[in-house]
Each structure stands twice: as C-alpha cells, then as structure tokens.
Amino acid sequence: MNILELSEQELGRRKSLEELRSLGIDPYPAAEYPTDAFSTEIRENFSDEAPEPRKVCIAGRVMSKRVMGKASFMELQDSKGRIQVYVTRDDICPTENKGLYNAVFKRLLDLGDIVGVKGFVFRTQTGEITVHAQELTLLCKSLKPLPVVKEKDGKTYDSFEDPELRYRQRYVDLIVNQGVKEIFLKRAKVVQTMRRVLDEAGYTEVETPILQNIPGGASARPFITHFNALNEQMYMRIATELYLKRLIVGGFEGVYEIGKNFRNEGMDRTHNPEFTCMELYVQYKDYNWMMSFTERLLETICKEVNGTTEVNVDGNLVNFKAPYRRLPILEAIKEKTGFDVEGKSEDEIRAFCKEKGMDVDETMGKGKLIDELFGEFCEGTFIQPTFITDYPVEMSPLTKMHRSKPGLTERFELMVNGKELANAYSELNDPIDQEERFVEQMKLADKGDDEAMIIDQDFLRALQYGMPPTSGIGIGIDRLVMLMTGKMTIQEILLFPQMRPEKKAPKDSDDKFLALGIGEELIPILRKSGYNLVETLKGVNPQKVQQQIGEVVKKFKLDTVKPSVEEVGKWLENLN
C-alpha cells in the first residue's frame, strides 16, 4: 500500500508496529493461545463465596482503555461478549523491566488490538466482575482504527450506523455494534432447526448442480456464464426443483436441499439476486399434507429461535402457532377487489387491470395478469400466516391439476406479513401434461416474457419413467430469518449482501500529469495534496502548490526532492 494513502492514525499504528518489533515483540505470533473461558461464562459462574479466586486464560479485542498511572482498566471483547480487565504495572511486569506496561500497554496498545490475558476473577469495589491480569500477550496488532462508539447516560454517540458502510464492512459492524451478531446466530438457529425437523422426519439432504444447462424450476431471469471446458453456455440455477424431482423418480422417499439460488433481477429491501432457499419433495403426499407439515415446521422454528410462537415484525405481532388460514387465490382477489376472476378471459382481466390503473401490456398472459392483480391488491394485506391456494393453471406450469376444480391447480403460497414465504404444489407427474405446459410457457417466451420456463427434455424423460404422487415446497430462508428476527430489510440478515460498486473520487490518469512535465514520483504527492484532476491546478499559485508538496514530503518523511517554484510554474503553463 502507498504510504500516502494512509491516515494519521494508520501511520501512528504502523509506527507502533515497528517499535513493537524493535522491542522483540512479535505482533502476529503463530503459537496457540490456550484460552479456557469466555466473558459470559465467567460472569455466569462467578461466586463471591468461592474459597479462592478462579484462574482464567482469555483473549479478545481491546474495546476501551483507561490508563491511571500504575494501574489501568481495559474492556475486552471476545466471541461471546465483553468483560473488564484490571491491569497493574507490577503484576504484568514482576521484574525490574517495566517496558511491557510503560511502553507496550500504555503507548503501543491501541483500541482494536487483540490480546491474551491470564489472571484471576474478582469483583471490584463498584461491583463489576473483572479479570485481574497477571500476564498480558499481544496476539494481533490492528492497523486500522475502529469507529469509537460512545455511551453516556443510556445514549449512544458516534455510532456506526450508515447502512452503506455497515453492509460493505460487515466485519466492523460485527465488532462495534452489539446485537448484530445475535441476528446471525438466530439465522444459524433457523437453519439448524429446519434441518433437524427434516432429518427427524426421515428425509435426505442432498446437493444438486448450481451450474445448469437449462435454468428450470421457476419463472425467473437467470445469470448466464460460459463453461470453457465444454465451450457451452451455462446458467446459474434459479431453483433446485427439477433435479430434486429426478431423485424422487429414482426412489428417494423424501429429499431436501438448503442452498443458494441466483436470479438476475433487481435488488431492493426484500430481494437479493443471490438468496438461500430450502426445497423439499416427499413421495405419496399432496399439498394438503404439505400445509400441515409447514405449519408444524414453522411453529417449531419460531419456538426454538425466539422461545415463543409470536414475533414482532415492524409493529405487527405475527403468530406462527398452527393452524393457519387457507384461502383460494381467486376468492382472495374477489374479497379485496370485488372482481370475480373465475371464468373471465385474458382480455377481460387485462381490461380490469387497466381500469384499475395497473401497468400491464400485451405480453402478459392470463396467469401473469392474475399474479399482478394479487400482488397489487392482496399480497400486502395478509399479516398473519395465510395459505393462498388453488392457483390457475396458467400460473403453475409444474403443478398437478386440481382434483375437483377445473382450470385450477393444487398449489399454495404462504403469505406472512404481506410477503410470500413459501410456495408448494401437489407436483405434476403426468409427463404428457407437463410437456404441454412447457410448450405453453415457450409461447409466453415468444410473446416477450423473458422469465418464462425453458423446456427441459431430460426432466420430461425422467417423468416418463414414472414419478410417484409427490408434494414439494420451497421456503425462502432469507425471508424466514427476516420474520424470525423482526428485520425489515434483507441486507440486515445477510452477512455479505450484494452491493453496488464503491463510489470513488474521480482522478486523472498518470499520463495526464506526465504530459505537463510532472515527474512520476510527484503524482501521488499532488493527489495527496488534493489535485486528483489536472484541471484543479488551473489558476493555482505555483508557490502554493510547491508549499503543499513540501508539507506532504515532510509529514510522510519521503525521500522525494521538492520541485522549485519555477518548475511548478512550467507545469501550470502547460495547462494553457
């Protein structure tokens, strides 16, 4: 890294690094540090009646430091929480050499550094459980300063709250913002509980390809890549469905996958192009069974994660206790709009949509129009968990026809807090019907629908060998975690959400500076002085520019020779 790109604090920390090494202290030791306790566990197990103080070996990041002569306090943050450490000069420096305290601890140890402490636990006069340090070891020198979050009288100051910085630098967010780690521990609990319930039910976790020849299993725009070894265009998967169904054909009782899907679509508060989904397929079941299974699954997850079936989401108290309401989609649209979709033609539905001021066009088929109607007038109104059932066949190309309602399919979507959480079917296992549905999807593609499904001939071949009656479901893990943690943006529950490229200040290429006669070694110095564009040198007094260059050379102790005022004047003349 160019030294001119460093801040004053970063320069200071690098000087401390050099001094530590000159004292014979390795700022990045390789040896194991044998910790045997954590902050939370120390407090939970402390007893004032213990016959003798408990000895501990802990390690963590220095979050605050109060130096008071020969005795000081610091706050250490480990993977579980924070604990106070009491440090005295004579305890950590029992010999005549007091450098570890006077030089290292007082001057060279910065906030953010990681240290190890061996000592014993006691309670201070103010009642705080504290570790009395008898040995202090530097384990990692931090070269960048942390944001200093201050608290006083219950109020937080200088907090690290900018979402752009928090999501881009999640490592800093996790260090300085208490409670952020808890979100991701809950996320892990959601997945862990889901996996346990599915395993206990006897279903097998499997892995299917992420790179696929055909992006099947959903209506979505895929990411496209190139497979050099095969010289073939490939797609990042948009769903795991078609491969999991192949395994049901192959004889598995039930299979599931918790994995990443990729859809080349927009980013907003509830969508990320890379997302996690659980898909489950079970033989000899239908969508009615799957509704009951889903209720039990989500109720169990909510209890495990939050200790109750209720969770507060943006002021709404959502209750995951079974059973959930079951409402056919056409009834939902009629209930919210007064318009009875049943029996209406594509043109009649389009006319109603336009009458309501909706942005629809001729490329949208009947299913797409019904989907738009539901999304516009119904979806956001379902706060408590609600199964929306019996979708029209045009909306469900992979779903079995309804056993008693012509034109409809045995499908449900689970709506919670105004958003879709799950999608499930009585799976279509008639290969002839499936091929006809795929053909209809291709007609939509011909009309301009770039999310229509592509015919997967190998999947059709698998169905021709016979797939038993099967029910399947997909549950969005990210949205489920949002619900379980009460978070309203998907970025809050993704450790590393997709972000737009960082904005950088514009700067001219080196060639533009060289063309003015400026030496290559002076270009970074001029940029450090604020001249990223040659145009910004126009009209500036040559003496001022020369003085600014001299200040940078002196501050950073560079070997560069400062140019004369006359030389600078010639640069500026060349601008004209």
Side-chain angles (χ1 to χ4, degrees):
M1 176 179 282
N2 191 323
I3 192 172
L4 296 179
E5 297 176 6
L6 301 176
S7 67
E8 285 193 35
Q9 286 194 56
E10 289 173 307
L11 283 171
R13 285 172 180 247
R14 288 178 185 240
K15 288 177 182 176
S16 296
L17 182 72
E18 293 172 7
E19 189 172 343
L20 285 165
R21 284 182 166 139
S22 70
L23 292 171
I25 296 173
D26 183 356
Y28 304 104
E32 174 192 5
Y33 193 78
T35 58
D36 58 15
F38 291 103
S39 54
T40 50
E41 178 266 326
I42 288 172
R43 280 193 294 273
E44 289 168 2
N45 295 323
F46 178 80
S47 172
D48 291 304
E49 283 73 43
E52 57 183 46
R54 177 189 173 186
K55 291 191 175 183
V56 295
C57 178
I58 61 173
R61 193 180 296 273
V62 179
M63 299 304 293
S64 67
K65 192 171 68 166
R66 290 175 289 146
V67 177
M68 301 175 294
K70 297 179 182 180
S72 303
F73 287 95
M74 66 177 175
E75 187 178 36
L76 218 61
Q77 178 171 291
D78 62 18
S79 60
K80 306 294 184 182
R82 297 185 181 188
I83 194 163
Q84 182 172 266
V85 177
Y86 178 59
V87 183
T88 67
R89 186 191 67 181
D90 294 337
D91 278 327
I92 66 169
C93 304
T95 66
E96 291 298 316
N97 183 355
K98 306 299 181 184
L100 181 60
Y101 184 83
N102 293 333
V104 177
F105 179 80
K106 290 174 71 174
R107 288 194 302 105
L108 305 178
L109 194 66
D110 293 302
L111 301 189
D113 289 354
I114 298 173
V115 299
V117 173
K118 292 181 181 179
F120 61 88
V121 186
F122 76 108
R123 190 191 295 276
T124 65
Q125 292 181 347
T126 59
E128 186 165 355
I129 297 170
T130 303
V131 175
H132 187 132
Q134 294 174 303
E135 290 184 29
L136 180 70
T137 306
L138 178 63
L139 299 176
C140 181
K141 182 67 184 168
S142 171
L143 298 183
K144 277 192 174 291
L146 290 172
V148 180
V149 182
K150 302 172 185 174
E151 291 187 10
K152 186 176 181 181
D153 300 327
K155 292 184 178 180
T156 303
Y157 300 90
D158 301 325
S159 54
F160 187 65
E161 290 183 340
D162 183 352
E164 180 78 10
L165 288 175
R166 287 185 54 232
Y167 305 151
R168 202 179 294 283
Q169 299 179 31
R170 183 66 83 185
Y171 37 88
V172 178
D173 188 31
L174 288 164
I175 292 169
V176 302
N177 287 329
Q178 296 187 45
V180 173
K181 185 183 288 185
E182 183 64 28
I183 295 169
F184 296 100
L185 292 175
K186 282 190 173 185
R187 182 185 178 109
K189 192 73 171 178
V190 166
V191 175
Q192 179 187 51
T193 305
M194 178 177 285
R195 183 173 275 120
R196 175 176 59 79
V197 172
L198 296 173
D199 288 345
E200 288 176 354
Y203 308 137
T204 304
E205 183 173 11
V206 297
E207 294 177 298
T208 61
I210 290 176
L211 283 177
Q212 301 181 354
N213 299 94
I214 293 174
S219 297
R221 188 182 300 115
F223 283 94
I224 302 172
T225 186
H226 189 77
F227 198 147
N228 290 338
L230 298 177
N231 191 26
E232 188 174 312
Q233 180 171 283
M234 300 288 283
Y235 303 90
M236 303 288 281
R237 74 178 176 204
I238 57 176
T240 56
E241 177 170 348
L242 301 188
Y243 280 93
L244 293 174
K245 286 181 180 177
R246 286 171 169 92
L247 298 178
I248 296 296
V249 170
F252 280 89
E253 175 195 358
V255 290
Y256 73 92
E257 182 169 8
I258 300 173
K260 295 284 190 181
N261 291 336
F262 306 84
R263 298 184 181 177
N264 197 358
E265 298 166 349
M267 296 189 298
D268 57 31
R269 292 166 60 87
T270 59
H271 294 87
N272 194 64
E274 173 187 353
F275 63 97
T276 305
C277 188
M278 187 285 294
E279 289 198 43
L280 165 71
Y281 295 85
V282 186
Q283 64 180 4
Y284 308 122
K285 308 297 183 186
D286 65 5
Y287 79 142
N288 293 310
W289 175 89
M290 188 62 80
M291 279 188 259
S292 299
F293 182 83
T294 303
E295 290 170 338
R296 297 194 302 273
L297 174 66
L298 296 180
E299 181 177 345
T300 300
I301 289 172
C302 196
K303 283 181 180 177
E304 286 289 323
V305 173
N306 294 308
T308 174
T309 60
E310 294 182 330
V311 60
N312 192 304
V313 185
D314 195 32
N316 296 320
L317 193 63
V318 178
N319 193 336
F320 282 94
K321 185 170 180 58
Y324 307 156
R325 184 187 182 193
R326 305 181 183 191
L327 178 66
I329 187 171
L330 300 187
E331 288 185 26
I333 293 173
K334 185 177 180 181
E335 183 180 286
K336 301 298 180 182
T337 68
F339 180 68
D340 191 352
V341 178
E342 190 168 0
K344 297 293 191 299
S345 68
E346 179 181 314
D347 290 337
E348 288 174 312
I349 299 171
R350 184 179 290 107
F352 178 76
C353 291
K354 289 181 177 178
E355 179 187 319
K356 289 294 184 179
M358 295 172 61
D359 185 16
V360 297
D361 56 50
E362 302 307 313
T363 69
M364 295 181 178
K366 187 174 180 180
K368 190 85 168 178
L369 292 169
I370 293 172
D371 193 30
E372 291 291 317
L373 268 176
F374 181 79
E376 180 74 17
F377 296 104
C378 307
E379 184 172 342
T381 66
F382 296 107
I383 303 302
Q384 298 305 320
T386 304
F387 291 115
I388 303 299
T389 67
D390 304 344
Y391 283 67
V393 64
E394 296 87 351
M395 297 175 67
S396 312
L398 298 169
T399 312
K400 186 170 285 190
M401 295 295 291
H402 199 285
R403 66 196 78 174
S404 61
K405 299 177 182 178
L408 302 181
T409 61
E410 297 199 348
R411 172 188 176 189
F412 72 78
E413 287 186 326
L414 176 60
M415 300 292 163
V416 186
N417 202 48
K419 294 291 181 183
E420 174 199 341
L421 176 61
N423 189 17
Y425 315 145
S426 292
E427 300 294 338
L428 181 59
N429 61 345
D430 180 340
I432 297 173
D433 188 0
Q434 179 66 85
E435 184 171 12
E436 291 172 353
R437 307 266 195 104
F438 275 146
V439 170
E440 288 301 314
Q441 284 286 302
M442 293 308 292
K443 289 179 182 178
L444 292 177
D446 292 339
K447 291 174 69 175
D449 187 348
D450 59 0
E451 294 185 353
M453 290 189 191
I454 301 172
I455 297 178
D456 187 335
Q457 294 293 348
D458 180 69
F459 175 65
L460 290 175
R461 179 168 57 192
L463 286 186
Q464 289 171 26
Y465 281 98
M467 184 176 81
T470 297
S471 183
I473 188 170
I475 297 177
I477 298 297
D478 302 322
R479 286 196 179 172
L480 179 57
V481 174
M482 288 173 67
L483 290 166
M484 294 300 162
T485 57
K487 297 300 176 184
M488 297 305 297
T489 61
I490 195 170
Q491 290 81 10
E492 288 287 344
I493 56 87
L494 296 175
L495 279 167
F496 302 104
Q498 292 292 333
M499 303 289 291
R500 302 185 192 281
E502 287 188 68
K503 292 181 180 178
K504 295 183 179 179
K507 65 180 181 180
D508 283 334
S509 65
D510 288 2
D511 289 342
K512 288 193 175 184
F513 288 92
L514 293 170
L516 300 177
I518 299 171
E520 188 174 359
E521 74 282 0
L522 293 172
I523 296 173
I525 298 176
L526 279 169
R527 288 185 176 134
K528 188 67 176 179
S529 302
Y531 302 108
N532 286 313
L533 304 172
V534 294
E535 287 290 317
T536 57
L537 286 165
K538 274 188 177 179
V540 183
N541 188 311
Q543 188 172 359
K544 178 183 178 183
V545 176
Q546 190 236 24
Q547 183 181 356
Q548 289 174 310
I549 291 173
E551 289 172 354
V552 173
V553 169
K554 181 179 179 181
K555 179 178 178 180
F556 289 88
K557 298 178 181 178
L558 304 177
D559 295 331
T560 310
V561 177
K562 183 174 67 171
S564 67
V565 175
E566 290 74 20
E567 287 177 290
V568 176
K570 288 180 182 178
W571 304 343
L572 303 187
E573 285 176 13
N574 292 334
L575 269 170
N576 302 321

